[in-house]
Amino acid sequence: MIDVNRTDRLYALVEELRAVAPRPRSARWLADRFEVSVRTIERDIGALQESGTPIYAEAGRTGGYCLDKAHTMPPVNLTSGEAVAMALALKHLEGTPFRAEGRSALRKLVAAMRREEADAAQDLAACVHLLGGGPIPPMPHVLGIRRVLRIRYVDREGKATRREVEPLGYVGKPAHWYLVAWCRLRREIRAFRTDRITSFTVTAEVPPLRRLRPEDLDIPYGDVEQLSLAG
């Protein structure tokens, strides 16, 4: 028996019609496929049509419901990192006529993501903070890694140290990115400028849960803005 809730069934209906398009599927065939009544299928199809999904009915003995593949998108399989990368890329549209359209596109893509990936993307975005205005530099490779890192770090005096750190968050300034992490060497939260991390290794160890508090990001020379997937 196919046991799905309505949201999952609506998604599955679209994918079933997409798979056979432009051939139709009858309401009876779909009802048998999803083990619901014909009336339920008709209500589901009506809801999809009202939401803008290009489904139309084809009359006749071999007719049924068809999906216009030319006006639909395949399933969106963005990863959490890709969604956050797109949110960061939108920051380069600040002050342009396309900012609103960019926000709208991102919201649509996030809404179409698989639920677990969308939740992971929201969690990752909550770890990313931007300081001040101006363009955002390229995203560092360490962004989004949720494992203990072994890093080789060179401080402003040129002294190199090797450390194990537990990533907590990321702060982007117009000139640099900073990894905010619990430093096991210093036994406190530290900010590491990512261009001074000369090498890093991702371990298999998942660090214990530590919350990055607002006071941990109390930077005296600018306002910190949390990245949003709402654009």
Side-chain angles (χ1 to χ4, degrees):
M1 178 177 181
I2 299 173
D3 183 19
V4 293
N5 61 36
R6 188 169 189 244
T7 300
D8 292 336
R9 188 173 64 248
L10 291 176
Y11 176 86
L13 270 170
V14 173
E15 291 313 301
E16 178 63 42
L17 294 176
R18 187 195 308 282
V20 298
R23 290 179 290 125
R25 286 292 196 208
S26 69
R28 168 53 58 194
W29 191 97
L30 292 169
D32 291 343
R33 169 75 174 82
F34 294 102
E35 299 185 351
V36 294
S37 68
V38 170
R39 181 61 182 154
T40 295
I41 290 295
E42 290 172 343
R43 283 198 300 264
D44 288 349
I45 294 292
L48 288 167
Q49 290 171 328
E50 288 177 8
S51 71
T53 306
I55 296 174
Y56 60 92
E58 197 171 86
R61 185 176 60 84
T62 59
Y65 294 108
C66 302
L67 179 73
D68 185 353
K69 291 178 74 173
H71 292 85
T72 63
M73 290 177 60
V76 177
N77 294 319
L78 290 180
T79 67
S80 58
E82 289 169 340
V84 170
M86 293 183 68
L88 286 169
L90 279 180
K91 294 299 179 180
H92 292 281
L93 294 180
E94 295 285 1
T96 75
F98 302 103
R99 175 62 173 149
E101 285 80 2
R103 285 199 304 265
S104 175
L106 179 61
R107 285 194 296 269
K108 290 177 182 178
L109 286 170
V110 172
M113 292 172 67
R114 295 192 301 270
R115 183 174 303 172
E116 60 271 22
E117 284 290 352
D119 290 344
Q122 297 286 359
D123 290 343
L124 178 56
C127 295
V128 178
H129 301 78
L130 306 174
L131 178 63
I136 303 302
M139 192 184 332
H141 293 302
V142 295
L143 188 63
I145 297 172
R146 307 302 288 272
R147 296 288 189 273
V148 174
L149 302 178
R150 294 191 183 102
I151 65 173
R152 183 179 185 274
Y153 187 72
V154 179
D155 65 20
R156 67 182 64 184
E157 281 77 36
K159 181 181 178 182
T161 55
R162 295 189 181 275
R163 312 178 187 217
E164 285 193 351
V165 300
E166 303 170 14
L168 300 176
Y170 310 87
V171 175
K173 292 176 57 179
H176 305 289
W177 276 98
Y178 291 83
L179 165 65
V180 182
W182 176 264
C183 176
R184 292 181 171 179
L185 177 65
R186 305 302 184 199
R187 302 188 63 79
E188 62 182 2
I189 292 175
R190 291 291 181 93
F192 301 95
R193 219 174 82 176
T194 56
D195 61 325
R196 291 179 178 159
I197 299 175
T198 59
S199 65
F200 70 92
T201 301
V202 182
T203 73
E205 181 183 354
V206 178
L209 181 63
R210 300 182 192 271
R211 296 295 184 187
L212 190 61
R213 304 166 302 171
E215 55 265 34
D216 296 325
L217 293 172
D218 186 15
I219 301 173
Y221 49 87
D223 295 327
V224 177
E225 170 196 359
Q226 182 178 304
L227 184 67
S228 170
L229 293 185

